[in-house]
Every structure is written in C-alpha cells, then in structure tokens.
Amino acid sequence: CADMAMFEVKERGKNGYYFFNEQLNDKILRRVNIEKYLKMALKNNEFVLYYQPQIDLKSKKIDGFEALVRWNSPELGLVSPEDFISIAEEIGFIVHLGEWILRSACSYISGLNAKFNTNYTVAVNISMMQLLQDNFTEVVCSIIKETGLNPNLLELEITESVLMQSPEISIGKLQVLLNMGIKIALDDFGTGYSSLSYLRTIPLTTLKIDKSFIDDIIDEESKTSIVESIITLGHKFGLIMVAEGIEKEDQLKYLEKCSCNKIQGYLFSKPLCCSDLEKHIQQEQ
Ligand code: C2E
Ligand code: MG
Ligand code: MG
Ligand code: MG
C-alpha cells in the first residue's frame, strides 16, 4: 500500500509539482511514523495486552483467553495490531515484541490462575519470523519456567502462511513444542489454501475457523454446510474446534448444534483490559 502510494506521488510529480492528495499524504506519513516510533515503544512501555475470553460451549464458561496486543502511542494515538504487526514483521522488530508479548501473557495468566484458583488457558499469536528464529523453542521453554505457567495451559496460534514458508522447519519446531505439552492452534482457518487432510500432517491440537466463515452461516446455506463439515472432519482428526467472531445468537445456536468446542466473539465479550477481565471473572465465579 505504501509502495503504491509512493508510485502515485512520483507520477504526479512529472509536471514539476507534487500535488499531495491529503489522504494519501496522511497514509504515507502514518506508515513512516509507525516505523519511526515502533522501536521506542517497547522501551517506553506503550504496548498493552488485552484478553478476549474463549467460551467452552459445553459448560458455557470461560475456558481461557486470547492475548491481543494494543499499542497506545503518545504520538499516534491507539494503533491497531492490523496497522503495526505487518510493519513490525517487515523491520524484524516482531521477534523482540513477540517475546515480550509471550512473556507478559504467560506471566499474567499464571498470576491470574493463582489469584482466582482457576486453570485458564492463554492463546498467543506467533509470527512466522518468531517461529523461524533458531532459538524459538528455547525461548518458549525459558518463559514457561520463568513464569511458572503450566505448559498445558499455553496455546500458540500460527497461520497457514507460516507453514507455507518453511514447512519442514516449522513442523519440526511445532513437534518440539507439542512434546513440551504446549497446544498449537491454526488461526484463521479457511482463509488460506490448506485442506484439512494436508493439515493432518501438521502437529496441531486446535483449529480456529475464521470469522469470514462464521459471518454468513445463518444466511448462506453453502457456508452453513462448509462449517459443519469442517467441524466434523476436525473432530475426526482429534482437533479442538474453535469458532472466531461470533456476534449473533443464531450463530451460537448453530455452532452448538455442530458440537463446536469453543467460541470467541463480541457476542460474549470483546477483548478486555486486565481490570475488566478480572471483574468479568468475579461475576462468573
Ligand atoms: P486474530 O489472531 O485472528 O484475532 C482475532 C481478531 O478478531 C482480534 O482483532 C479480535 O479483537 C477480533 N474479534 C474477535 N471477536 C470478534 C467479533 O465478534 N467481531 C469482530 N468484528 N471482531 C472480532 P485484533 O485484536 O484487532 O487483532 C487483529 C489481528 O492482529 C489478529 O487476528 C492477529 O493476526 C494480529 N495480532 C493481534 N495481537 C497479536 C500479537 O500479540 N502478536 C501477533 N503476532 N499478532 C497479533
Ligand atoms: Mg489469533
Ligand atoms: Mg483469527
Ligand atoms: Mg486474523
């Protein structure tokens, strides 16, 4: 997008003038600024983790949380992960940031479980570049030891693009993590190219069906049957099935009917800051 913007700017400059379209200019400037401030943001403590509850459909109770990073920048305001994660990946900063996210999430949930006498799981999104680091499994191992989190309560979320990039390295590392008792989830399932039978060859415990499939399950019969078959097949392969982006009661009912294991979505809760999350838990208890 930034490249396209630059191109347009150059084109316009042919006649000697640079007519900056204001919106375009803002976009370029924002991208430049995100890059500029991103590296300092970690030192300055500008990142926070929010936690979105995952609900177990059998018990109707919170089973665990997905950690979702937020950047509260004094210069840029609140920046969405969709706007800075890809930039953090491009400049290699994600390795550093990702380690901070993993450590913070494990440490927080470990403390939360001790405080409330619970066994909540925590799911953490992992970027390709992190997984491909030579020492990734060692880093995870030391974070687990350091924070005292039961490895069975940690789930690492990866996407298909990670697997496509370097399948052999990824599979090897995922197997090591799985052997440590850690769960591995494939995030955004359905948006990539992998078939379920291909996924059978990947060490996975969990499949998260992307929101785009959930959005129309009630209105579009084709999507309804796709979701139902994905869940049935996933279960045959022994996978825990999670549906993302549930906003409506109808969707919930349908997923219950298909025996989906867990749901995550605004219908139950948006991602919460720590104090709201603890209020939520107190209410449930
Ligand atoms: P994701 O991992 O698929 O996370 C789910 C996204 O869907 C989150 O957006 C969440 O707030 C949103 N969501 C959940 N339920 C609903 C719903 O019912 N309706 C709607 N409209 N949205 C819902 P968020 O937090 O903005 O994160 C976006 C993406 O950024 C994530 O997608 C993930 O790919 C990436 N991301 C977020 N945090 C991290 C992180 O700590 N590390 C890495 N590597 N990536 C992250
Ligand atoms: Mg995720
Ligand atoms: Mg997702
Ligand atoms: Mg996503």
Side-chain angles (χ1 to χ4, degrees):
C1 172
D3 288 344
M4 236 165 67
M6 285 299 181
F7 177 73
E8 221 171 310
V9 170
K10 264 194 217 147
E11 285 290 289
R12 280 164 198 233
K14 267 187 200 156
N15 54 13
Y17 296 99
Y18 286 90
F19 289 114
F20 279 93
N21 165 325
E22 246 175 72
Q23 266 180 336
L24 203 64
N25 194 15
D26 285 352
K27 254 193 183 167
I28 300 169
L29 210 69
R30 189 165 170 84
R31 150 101 214 192
V32 168
N33 279 328
I34 288 178
E35 239 188 90
K36 176 172 151 198
Y37 294 116
L38 199 56
K39 287 186 181 166
M40 289 307 290
L42 197 54
K43 255 191 223 141
N44 296 344
N45 253 319
E46 291 165 17
F47 294 106
V48 256
L49 293 184
Y50 273 52
Y51 294 89
Q52 187 175 35
Q54 297 184 323
I55 312 307
D56 178 273
L57 276 185
K58 259 195 193 143
S59 67
K60 301 282 179 336
K61 288 203 164 152
I62 299 175
D63 184 72
F65 303 91
E66 179 177 13
L68 294 156
V69 69
R70 303 287 178 258
W71 178 17
N72 207 340
S73 161
E75 290 88 4
L76 305 170
L78 203 66
V79 191
S80 144
E82 312 242 84
D83 291 337
F84 71 85
I85 291 287
S86 59
I87 298 176
E89 283 167 348
E90 278 170 44
I91 62 174
F93 177 64
I94 194 70
V95 174
H96 206 41
L97 176 60
E99 188 176 329
W100 177 87
I101 291 171
L102 186 62
R103 180 173 288 109
S104 309
C106 291
S107 153
Y108 178 67
I109 296 297
S110 172
L112 188 83
N113 281 334
K115 181 170 170 185
F116 290 96
N117 193 21
T118 47
N119 271 314
Y120 293 127
T121 58
V122 62
V124 181
N125 293 284
I126 301 296
S127 286
M128 171 168 66
M129 201 183 275
Q130 278 178 278
L131 183 71
L132 295 183
Q133 289 296 298
D134 283 343
N135 65 347
F136 182 68
T137 52
E138 286 87 353
V139 167
V140 175
C141 189
S142 71
I143 287 178
I144 286 211
K145 278 193 191 135
E146 204 181 295
T147 60
L149 183 77
N150 179 342
N152 294 303
L153 299 180
L154 176 61
E155 184 162 76
L156 301 180
E157 294 193 4
I158 55 160
T159 56
E160 281 168 68
S161 55
V162 175
L163 300 172
M164 293 306 155
Q165 185 83 5
S166 315
E168 271 137 54
I169 300 179
S170 323
I171 291 175
K173 291 192 186 215
L174 295 179
Q175 191 60 57
V176 171
L177 295 162
L178 212 66
N179 293 346
M180 284 162 62
I182 293 167
K183 295 192 173 65
I184 309 290
L186 188 76
D187 202 357
D188 305 342
F189 178 71
T191 57
Y193 301 100
S194 317
S195 65
L196 263 172
S197 47
Y198 167 71
L199 290 179
R200 233 182 146 171
T201 64
I202 313 287
L204 290 176
T205 49
T206 311
L207 210 58
K208 296 187 78 174
I209 306 170
D210 193 68
K211 178 175 184 299
S212 57
F213 278 94
I214 306 302
D215 283 342
D216 316 311
I217 41 177
I218 304 309
D219 311 319
E220 277 182 50
E221 237 177 86
S222 59
K223 291 225 173 149
T224 314
S225 53
I226 289 176
V227 170
E228 192 167 3
S229 341
I230 292 176
I231 294 176
T232 308
L233 209 58
H235 280 158
K236 273 203 186 123
F237 296 163
L239 297 169
I240 302 167
M241 301 301 291
V242 183
E244 296 193 273
I246 284 71
E247 295 178 345
K248 300 181 194 132
E249 203 65 51
D250 284 359
Q251 296 168 333
L252 170 66
K253 289 219 179 81
Y254 174 76
L255 291 161
E256 275 179 321
K257 204 188 85 197
C258 301
S259 308
C260 185
N261 302 94
K262 297 190 218 176
I263 57 147
Q264 201 182 325
Y266 292 175
L267 177 67
F268 190 81
S269 171
K270 289 199 169 183
L272 303 166
C273 67
C274 297
S275 64
D276 286 345
L277 182 155
E278 295 188 22
K279 277 183 216 148
H280 213 98
I281 293 176
Q282 269 156 352
Q283 276 169 12
E284 200 184 83
Q285 285 188 335

